[in-house]
Amino acid sequence: MNTNDKVQDSMFANPVSTRKIHIFDTTLRDGEQAPGASLNPEEKIIIARQLAKLGVDTIEPGFPISSPGEFTAVQTISRELQNVEICGFARAVKQDIDSALKATEDASRRRLHMFLSSSDIHLDFQLRKSRQQVVQLAREMIAYAKQFIERIEFSPMDATRTGMEFLYEVVEAVIEEGATIINIPDTVGYALPEEYGQLFRNVQQHVRGGKSVEYSAHCHNDLGLAVANSLAAVQAGATHVEVSVNGIGERAGNTSLEELVMAIETKGPALNVGTNIQLEQLYATSQLVSHIMHIPLAVNKPVVGRNAFQHEAGIHQDGLLKNRSTYEIMDPEQLGIPRHMIVLGKHSGRHAIKHRAMELGVALTEDQLEDVYTKFKQKADGQKTVTDAELIEMVGKTVDRAIDRYEITDFQVITGFKRSRVASVTVADRHSGTERTYSAIGEGPVEAVINGIKQAMPVEIKFENLELHSMGNEEKAFGEATVTIAAGASRYRGTGINQDVIQAVVEAFMAAANQAVRMLEKAQADKQKQHHAG
């Protein structure tokens, strides 16, 4: 039994009192409406496969009527992903409904999601229809769709700014015509949690047939309340929550999938609810969406942000090294997040430095630690963080030997317009005392230099991820690079800081590569010892 199985078992230990919350993912529809987040059909399919692997219950792949490419993407996803419900999105227009039904007709399970504005401000300035016309249109379109599909979700758009009595009237009308799921959207992120939860209770209590249908919550994050509002809806009886990966979406975005799921996971016993999400896939899904949509995550983004499980304060670092639960309410490794909880900066203490040196393959004596700590504090006072390469250099001076086997002594990149970049890289092997120069090409200068360095490494290395952050906003600002590599079955991470961004990446890559080499050499040495002992 894996960790996630145990978590799910604990969440559903009392099946009578625990409700399942259906996770409805709209990353590919509402999420794609974020400026700059447009996806082509192939990218949509890649993300949809990962969403299915993540365990979402429903995928809303797009708006089929909007373009031929959108229709094709929805149709392809419907045909391929047979273990997840596919939702077709449509306005209250026959052509939209026909397109959504056609695009999803090959899905093993599907629903139609129809929306129509209900607030006076939308009716007056957007639809230019009366309330009576809206109710009649809603009735006609639900009745039309009901001829072809059983499972219909209806959304009175801008519900949280709609008069209560009119909202009751619209919802009652669509239920009478056959709608099976009522979504109450906070379209502009206007509601407070208490208001939003009460809205669900009111609809269920005052609408004829209100207790015969399912309820869904769809919240936007304009006031930063999307997750809180969604949880309020869950507590008020909603069994479906519409989310997007990384909270991507129009304006400030939608309810964040990973934040909602982990709130439920962490507070499940109090909420008496659970989900089918495979927690170990959360980080991989977040990274995939961020990379394909070219939208970086805020460093302090809950659950999946760079700083979500990193600590610089010495008191926190000391507590974490003794017991993770002292300062963390979630286990990052359970979410598929690589464990890098210690960030070395001026607030770090001796325990953190000793721990990081050990991770880098060096065990320090108490006297050596004191010497490194003194050097570290002098360095840390002058900059925000101390990189792995800088720490290794301090450790090497203290123990009087080169810790990193390989060192870049020089590199040069020739760039030009509409041509491959050419790099010349000189790498020194400090163990053998030799130095060699390698040449390589790449589509960009970083790729060219990295391709050159790889030739010097005794282990095959895959460049997996690069994060770049600006440390300042002037001409002399520094770039901070974090590089993740894979070597064999293991991953290694290095950091570099330099005014030259390419050099910062090179430093980070070399820090990670030297870690991989040290682990390889250690494994080989251990194997030889076992052989001689045998």
Side-chain angles (χ1 to χ4, degrees), residues 271-321:
L271 296 168
N272 286 325
V273 296
T275 75
N276 284 337
I277 294 297
Q278 303 301 304
L279 303 182
E280 70 275 7
Q281 294 295 328
L282 279 173
Y283 184 69
T285 307
S286 169
Q287 290 292 297
L288 179 70
V289 170
S290 175
H291 292 162
I292 290 182
M293 288 189 166
H294 302 294
I295 297 180
L297 299 176
V299 294
N300 63 334
K301 171 77 167 66
V303 184
V304 292
R306 184 168 64 119
N307 289 354
F309 295 98
Q310 290 190 343
H311 310 264
E312 185 188 332
I315 294 174
H316 285 220
Q317 291 174 342
D318 182 55
L320 285 160
L321 292 173

Side-chain angles (χ1 to χ4, degrees), residues 371-488:
D371 186 63
V372 171
Y373 182 70
T374 300
K375 293 184 176 74
F376 173 87
K377 281 298 184 181
Q378 292 172 349
K379 186 73 172 178
D381 276 340
Q383 60 190 52
K384 290 185 177 182
T385 60
V386 174
T387 68
D388 291 337
E390 290 168 334
L391 178 63
I392 283 293
E393 183 181 356
M394 296 174 202
V395 171
K397 290 179 179 178
T398 295
V399 301
D400 197 26
R401 63 183 174 88
I403 305 300
D404 279 347
R405 178 174 173 178
Y406 295 99
E407 178 186 20
I408 299 288
T409 58
D410 186 40
F411 74 84
Q412 189 175 38
V413 186
I414 300 174
T415 65
F417 185 64
K418 292 185 178 180
R419 68 179 67 180
S420 295
R421 278 59 177 171
V422 180
S424 172
V425 183
T426 302
V427 181
D429 183 339
R430 293 200 249 187
H431 287 191
S432 65
T434 59
E435 190 174 274
R436 289 189 61 184
T437 299
Y438 305 86
S439 61
I441 62 172
E443 291 300 310
V446 168
E447 182 183 6
V449 176
I450 297 303
N451 285 342
I453 298 171
K454 284 181 179 179
Q455 297 176 46
M457 297 297 110
V459 58
E460 185 175 344
I461 293 174
K462 179 183 178 183
F463 192 109
E464 284 205 337
N465 188 44
L466 166 64
E467 296 177 37
L468 274 175
H469 302 276
S470 174
M471 301 176 66
N473 55 9
E474 298 176 354
E475 291 86 350
K476 295 183 179 181
F478 283 77
E480 180 187 22
T482 302
V483 169
T484 303
I485 66 170

Side-chain angles (χ1 to χ4, degrees), residues 28-304:
L28 302 177
R29 200 277 300 171
D30 206 339
E32 195 200 11
Q33 292 174 201
S38 181
L39 301 169
N40 62 44
E42 291 75 20
E43 291 169 332
K44 283 202 170 194
I45 293 165
I46 291 170
I47 293 175
R49 288 172 184 151
Q50 180 60 31
L51 292 172
K53 191 175 181 180
L54 177 64
V56 303
D57 299 282
T58 305
I59 296 175
E60 191 172 52
F63 193 179
I65 195 68
S66 64
S67 74
E70 192 83 341
F71 180 93
T72 299
V74 175
Q75 186 178 62
T76 303
I77 290 167
S78 298
R79 289 172 175 172
E80 179 178 331
L81 302 180
Q82 295 290 302
N83 295 321
V84 60
E85 182 182 55
I86 305 298
C87 181
F89 189 66
R91 295 168 297 183
V93 176
K94 282 187 178 181
Q95 293 92 326
D96 282 32
I97 295 168
D98 292 341
S99 181
L101 293 175
K102 180 67 175 176
T104 60
E105 65 180 350
D106 294 324
S108 62
R109 289 180 290 127
R110 63 172 179 159
R111 78 169 78 165
L112 175 71
H113 182 189
M114 187 191 309
F115 72 98
L116 180 62
S117 292
S118 59
S119 69
D120 286 341
I121 192 167
H122 278 214
L123 268 58
D124 291 345
F125 296 101
Q126 188 173 24
L127 285 185
R128 300 190 182 277
K129 292 183 182 294
S130 68
R131 287 183 169 186
Q132 291 72 27
Q133 288 174 312
V134 166
V135 172
Q136 185 60 32
L137 180 60
R139 281 188 178 277
E140 291 175 358
M141 292 301 98
I142 294 292
Y144 174 75
K146 196 68 176 180
Q147 300 174 84
F148 312 106
I149 188 170
E150 172 59 29
R151 199 161 163 82
I152 301 176
E153 173 181 343
F154 180 78
S155 291
M157 191 161 67
D158 204 20
T160 54
R161 294 194 297 174
T162 299
M164 199 67 73
E165 294 301 321
F166 183 58
L167 181 62
Y168 296 161
E169 184 180 355
V170 174
V171 171
E172 190 170 289
V174 297
I175 290 175
E176 287 179 355
E177 298 299 334
T180 58
I181 302 172
I182 300 300
N183 178 38
I184 303 178
D186 186 19
T187 305
V188 292
Y190 181 68
L192 295 175
E194 297 82 1
E195 297 170 338
Y196 195 58
Q198 190 58 48
L199 190 56
F200 279 81
R201 296 185 185 94
N202 289 343
V203 170
Q204 292 173 73
Q205 292 169 6
H206 298 291
V207 168
R208 187 163 39 203
K211 294 185 179 179
S212 66
V213 295
E214 300 172 78
Y215 286 88
S216 183
H218 180 111
C219 299
H220 281 261
N221 205 38
D222 298 70
L223 295 176
L225 296 171
V227 172
N229 283 339
S230 296
L231 291 172
V234 166
Q235 290 177 304
T239 53
H240 301 253
V241 180
E242 304 184 6
V243 298
S244 66
V245 176
N246 300 333
I248 190 72
E250 293 180 283
R251 304 183 311 279
N254 293 344
T255 299
S256 166
L257 182 152
E258 56 282 350
E259 292 177 31
L260 178 85
V261 166
M262 289 314 298
I264 290 175
E265 168 67 18
T266 305
K267 303 295 290 186
L271 296 168
N272 286 325
V273 296
T275 75
N276 284 337
I277 294 297
Q278 303 301 304
L279 303 182
E280 70 275 7
Q281 294 295 328
L282 279 173
Y283 184 69
T285 307
S286 169
Q287 290 292 297
L288 179 70
V289 170
S290 175
H291 292 162
I292 290 182
M293 288 189 166
H294 302 294
I295 297 180
L297 299 176
V299 294
N300 63 334
K301 171 77 167 66
V303 184
V304 292

